[in-house]
Amino acid sequence: MDITPQEESMIKAFRETDLPPLFVLIRVRNDIANDIANINENQRGDIVKALEKYIGSLWEDYHEGKKSQDKEST
């Protein structure tokens, strides 16, 4: 898969801001899901499903971590 200069710039910007990976994945997923001009519907659906698989596991890890922190603070 080729990465366009715009995509490369976006990836660099995400890395430089130290955004959490979960936030970045959700943002990219939403951008792709809403991009009807540049990505055909079949590709968009496949990409969104793949991203959601990664987001789901990170989301579960995030909530498990929060539960652990809440138990420790009480």
Side-chain angles (χ1 to χ4, degrees):
M1 181 167 98
D2 294 331
I3 296 176
T4 66
Q6 293 87 355
E7 292 166 333
E8 187 175 350
S9 295
M10 183 178 72
I11 291 167
K12 286 180 182 177
F14 281 140
R15 285 183 181 157
E16 289 170 0
T17 58
D18 282 336
L19 292 171
L22 181 58
F23 173 84
V24 172
L25 284 174
I26 292 170
R27 176 64 192 264
V28 170
R29 180 243 176 247
N30 291 342
D31 287 349
I32 289 171
N34 295 317
D35 188 348
I36 57 173
N38 299 309
I39 304 171
N40 73 47
E41 189 174 347
N42 291 337
Q43 270 187 313
R44 202 168 51 241
D46 291 343
I47 294 168
V48 167
K49 284 179 189 174
L51 286 170
E52 286 175 347
K53 197 166 39 171
Y54 292 111
I55 291 168
S57 63
L58 284 172
W59 191 252
E60 289 170 11
D61 290 348
Y62 169 77
H63 282 290
E64 287 300 317
K66 281 194 70 90
K67 286 179 187 177
S68 295
Q69 287 177 352
D70 291 344
K71 286 180 183 178
E72 290 174 5
S73 65
T74 55

